[in-house]
Amino acid sequence: MFRPEEMVKLDVITLNRYKDELLTYLHEAGLVEIRELDVKVAQKDTPNEYHRKAASYSITISRLADFLKAHKKAQGGGIKEFFFPKEKPKRTYRYEGIEKLIKDVEEFLSKVEPEIKAVEGKLSSLQTEIERIKEAIATLELLSVFKLPVQYLRHSGLVEVSVGSVDRAKLGALLEDLKKITEGKVAVVTKELGDKVLLAIANLSKDHDKVNSVLAKHSFERIEVPEGEGTPDELVKEYRKKLDAKLEELKETKKEAEKLAEKYYDDVVFYQELMENERDKANVLPMLARTNMTFALTGWLPRVDVPKVLEGIKKVTQGKAYINVREPSKDEIEEIPIKLKNPGWARPFEMLTEMYGVPRYDEIDPTPIIAFTYSFFFGFMLTDFMYGLIVGIVAALLVKGHKKFNDGTYKFAYTLLVSSFFTMLMGILFGSYFGNAGDIVLQHITGNPNAQFPRIADALKDPMFVLMLALAIGLAHLFTGYTIGFIVKWKNGDKKGALLEQLPWMLIILSIVFFATKNASLMLPAKALFGIGIVLFAIGEIVSNGGLAALMIISDFFGFVGTWLSYARLMALALATSGIAMVVNVLAAMVWGIKISVVPLGIIIGLIIFVGGQLFSTAINALGAFVHSLRLQYVEFFGTFYSGDGKPFTPFKSKREVSKLELKADGGA
């Protein structure tokens, strides 16, 4: 806790014949982050033909999977599926080398791909034909205003016919130019269509180029006349029959696609996952170095996993491997990948730390601290027992349903669940139950108009108390951060930074606390601490900024004051929660007594307003509490000591949702 996992460097040299099996073992174990080797005496490794085939087949199978998924009948879903998703069943594949896997995939594709592509091609062809027919119908409906057989609107021997539209404003100039360049040997039929005019233009074929030039000049939009004979209205009926036939054919073809999806989707996704993992394995090959007989790899892994990894490497290589495990050097501190290490109760909160950035190897992991402070600030801002109960129930259901996946939903829900306990606690302390609804119910039950739940203060009536409490919490939070920063810098040898950047604010904060007590015996120590803090702060600014020190002293000091005052948001959001809840209660009370005859319409409307309004208030205020609590961690707290510049540990690891690999060693071969 407070420190990331201890990491060590791993170097391995072994024979080329073990490469595929060793990489597969490491990929499935997911314990080592492989790094690129920088060597001069060997060459970089490259993917072979099987790896290239894996990449190609991955793309092919992904396309098949997308097609089948689009036609797969939906299963599950809904609220129950959201809270309690089902685990996907996993199929086991016995891995005997990439060559055997590629052969199995090729055999599978040879059977499945032609069937799927045949239906896919048929669907595509039908959809194209249906769109063509729809366009033809739309064109014929447009041409129906001419009341002419469509064969007259197409080119015929010595005479050429053009059909299209032009802007109404350009019609006069167009007709004038046509008559001029054809010497009057042109016939034009027009029909107005709003701002456009539909035209049918007949001219001699020998004037083709001149007519086209004029039409282009006036932005004539040509319309392709559909095939067939008869009036547009007659042809529309024929085309609609064709459309109905094609739509029926499309419907039957979609049923074929659904049957294929039912038959092959799970298999396609299974092989897709196998190929994607092979492609992932191939991506690390350029990081390796090789000779004609051997290859080498290097990487980082947690110290705790060293025995397991060494045992696996020795088993795969039958002991024919050079293995070196060493401690990281000081020069490698910035390169060491970070894997957070926290007790179970704090582990889901690692998500919040990782959103900002993981610590460097020589920094403190703040996760256990923000597990408390984030949840507490969330509860302080929401500050309502019933709101906390609602959030807690939803979060508990999500935690229960997603725990087996350990996914982002589980981690987020866990943080909300812990935060909901603080929300309920703060709600009790401030006597808030759907705002003042609890007091209203209590007064109605007891008949005492002054009855109310016990509380330390009313957020709406005692805002100054809440503000002072928020600022006091802010000082404690900042003092914790500066103290951690002092310890880390001192331990890492940056004693000047510890004394001139962290210690001054620690002393200033302590002096503020002493001043706030108004205890006469503490005034002298308070002044001394404040004076020493200011002097150290000024020296630090002079050392860091030289000639700009005077300006930076003012800027940074008031920056600290602004940071401290930022904790007033704890009070602001607590007031907002109480205020919105009270408004909802007032609106519900206003309509409560309305009756129509003997029907208590006001009670029905009031309940709708109350339930809907309070649920809305829960959601909007919980969102505000989430965002602003995070801000207090990321901006105010982390700004005192934390960089978050570490590199997350990204192990060479397979992704298994529907497949499970059985290695030869696992199967006893």
Side-chain angles (χ1 to χ4, degrees), residues 339-351:
K339 182 181 181 182
L340 301 181
K341 180 181 68 174
N342 288 287
W345 59 267
R347 203 165 295 139
F349 286 89
E350 291 175 354
M351 176 186 70

Side-chain angles (χ1 to χ4, degrees), residues 130-314:
I130 287 169
E131 288 303 314
R132 189 190 68 79
I133 294 173
K134 287 180 177 179
E135 289 177 7
I137 292 173
T139 300
L140 289 168
E141 289 175 342
L142 187 64
L143 297 178
S144 64
V145 297
F146 287 134
K147 305 297 183 184
L148 294 172
V150 293
Q151 58 267 34
Y152 295 158
L153 300 177
R154 289 194 292 268
H155 171 69
S156 178
L158 297 175
V159 178
E160 182 180 73
V161 179
S162 302
V163 180
S165 63
V166 71
D167 290 341
R168 182 198 298 271
K170 296 180 179 181
L171 178 61
L174 172 63
L175 295 178
E176 185 178 340
D177 287 349
L178 284 174
K179 289 178 181 178
K180 184 176 179 181
I181 61 108
T182 61
E183 298 178 353
K185 297 173 183 176
V186 63
V188 181
V189 179
T190 63
K191 291 293 181 180
E192 293 187 1
L193 297 172
D195 293 335
K196 297 276 188 178
V197 178
L198 190 65
L199 299 91
I201 303 167
N203 57 271
L204 296 175
S205 295
K206 67 182 183 66
D207 294 329
H208 171 81
D209 292 337
K210 292 185 288 185
V211 169
N212 276 352
S213 177
V214 170
L215 295 179
K217 174 184 173 183
H218 295 280
S219 303
F220 179 79
E221 298 177 12
R222 195 178 295 273
I223 295 174
E224 295 296 328
V225 179
E227 296 294 325
E229 296 186 358
T231 65
D233 290 339
E234 292 171 345
L235 274 180
V236 164
K237 294 178 182 177
E238 292 183 19
Y239 273 94
R240 289 198 183 280
K241 289 180 182 178
K242 291 180 182 179
L243 179 62
D244 291 341
K246 292 295 180 183
L247 288 173
E248 185 61 31
E249 191 176 351
L250 178 66
K251 183 179 178 181
E252 293 301 316
T253 307
K254 283 184 176 180
K255 288 182 180 178
E256 291 181 41
E258 289 176 358
K259 290 179 181 177
L260 284 178
E262 186 70 25
K263 183 178 180 182
Y264 292 127
Y265 179 73
D266 291 341
D267 292 336
V268 168
V269 171
F270 172 71
Y271 282 104
Q272 177 189 16
E273 189 166 275
L274 292 178
M275 287 295 94
E276 286 179 347
N277 278 293
E278 288 303 316
R279 184 174 62 179
D280 187 41
K281 281 164 54 180
N283 288 338
V284 305
L285 291 175
M287 298 182 182
L288 312 182
R290 70 177 178 87
T291 65
N292 291 335
M293 297 290 293
T294 64
F295 79 97
L297 64 83
T298 187
W300 295 95
L301 76 157
R303 183 190 300 278
V304 69
D305 294 324
V306 168
K308 180 178 179 181
V309 171
L310 294 187
E311 181 184 356
I313 293 174
K314 290 175 182 177

Side-chain angles (χ1 to χ4, degrees), residues 2-3 330 361-364 483-496 498:
F2 296 114
R3 298 291 301 175
K330 289 185 178 180
Y361 197 64
D362 56 358
E363 283 187 327
I364 291 290
T483 303
I484 293 173
F486 179 88
I487 295 170
V488 170
K489 288 189 175 183
W490 189 274
K491 186 176 180 180
N492 291 337
D494 184 12
K495 296 182 179 179
K496 184 176 74 172

Side-chain angles (χ1 to χ4, degrees), residues 3-4 333-334 338 358-364 642-646:
R3 298 291 301 175
I333 288 295
E334 294 185 2
I338 304 301
V358 296
R360 285 167 35 117
Y361 197 64
D362 56 358
E363 283 187 327
I364 291 290
Y642 187 65
S643 71
D645 291 335

Side-chain angles (χ1 to χ4, degrees), residues 251-455:
K251 183 179 178 181
E252 293 301 316
T253 307
K254 283 184 176 180
K255 288 182 180 178
E256 291 181 41
E258 289 176 358
K259 290 179 181 177
L260 284 178
E262 186 70 25
K263 183 178 180 182
Y264 292 127
Y265 179 73
D266 291 341
D267 292 336
V268 168
V269 171
F270 172 71
Y271 282 104
Q272 177 189 16
E273 189 166 275
L274 292 178
M275 287 295 94
E276 286 179 347
N277 278 293
E278 288 303 316
R279 184 174 62 179
D280 187 41
K281 281 164 54 180
N283 288 338
V284 305
L285 291 175
M287 298 182 182
L288 312 182
R290 70 177 178 87
T291 65
N292 291 335
M293 297 290 293
T294 64
F295 79 97
L297 64 83
T298 187
W300 295 95
L301 76 157
R303 183 190 300 278
V304 69
D305 294 324
V306 168
K308 180 178 179 181
V309 171
L310 294 187
E311 181 184 356
I313 293 174
K314 290 175 182 177
K315 182 182 292 186
V316 168
T317 63
Q318 300 176 14
K320 300 180 180 70
Y322 164 79
I323 305 172
N324 179 44
V325 178
R326 63 176 177 82
E327 298 294 325
S329 65
K330 289 185 178 180
D331 294 337
E332 293 176 315
I333 288 295
E334 294 185 2
E335 295 299 318
I336 301 174
I338 304 301
K339 182 181 181 182
L340 301 181
K341 180 181 68 174
N342 288 287
W345 59 267
R347 203 165 295 139
F349 286 89
E350 291 175 354
M351 176 186 70
L352 302 182
T353 303
E354 291 167 350
M355 283 170 60
Y356 183 87
V358 296
R360 285 167 35 117
Y361 197 64
D362 56 358
E363 283 187 327
I364 291 290
D365 174 11
T367 301
I369 299 172
I370 67 173
F372 170 75
T373 56
Y374 166 81
S375 304
F376 174 69
F377 289 165
F378 184 100
F380 196 111
M381 293 175 184
L382 201 52
T383 317
D384 190 283
F385 179 86
M386 299 306 296
Y387 288 4
L389 184 61
I390 293 171
V391 171
I393 291 172
V394 173
L397 291 173
L398 287 171
V399 165
K400 184 177 181 181
H402 288 260
K403 186 175 182 179
K404 56 182 174 287
F405 300 103
N406 195 31
D407 55 5
T409 301
Y410 164 73
K411 294 174 183 176
F412 178 67
Y414 183 93
T415 64
L416 286 183
L417 181 60
V418 176
S419 300
S420 71
F421 287 113
F422 282 96
T423 303
M424 289 187 281
L425 175 62
M426 297 304 293
I428 293 172
L429 293 177
F430 284 95
S432 182
Y433 302 83
F434 285 138
N436 63 342
D439 290 341
I440 294 173
V441 172
L442 187 62
Q443 291 164 10
H444 179 75
I445 293 174
T446 62
N448 180 1
N450 297 317
Q452 63 178 22
F453 281 93
R455 65 197 67 190

Side-chain angles (χ1 to χ4, degrees), residues 456-516:
I456 60 172
D458 188 313
L460 290 176
K461 294 179 181 178
D462 304 300
M464 286 305 298
F465 171 81
V466 181
L467 177 61
M468 292 299 104
L469 183 58
L471 293 178
I473 292 169
L475 278 181
H477 200 218
L478 292 174
F479 184 80
T480 302
Y482 284 118
T483 303
I484 293 173
F486 179 88
I487 295 170
V488 170
K489 288 189 175 183
W490 189 274
K491 186 176 180 180
N492 291 337
D494 184 12
K495 296 182 179 179
K496 184 176 74 172
L499 294 173
L500 299 181
E501 295 174 14
Q502 306 298 127
L503 184 59
W505 299 116
M506 295 165 61
L507 298 177
I508 290 171
I509 290 173
L510 285 174
S511 70
I512 293 172
V513 173
F514 287 175
F515 280 126

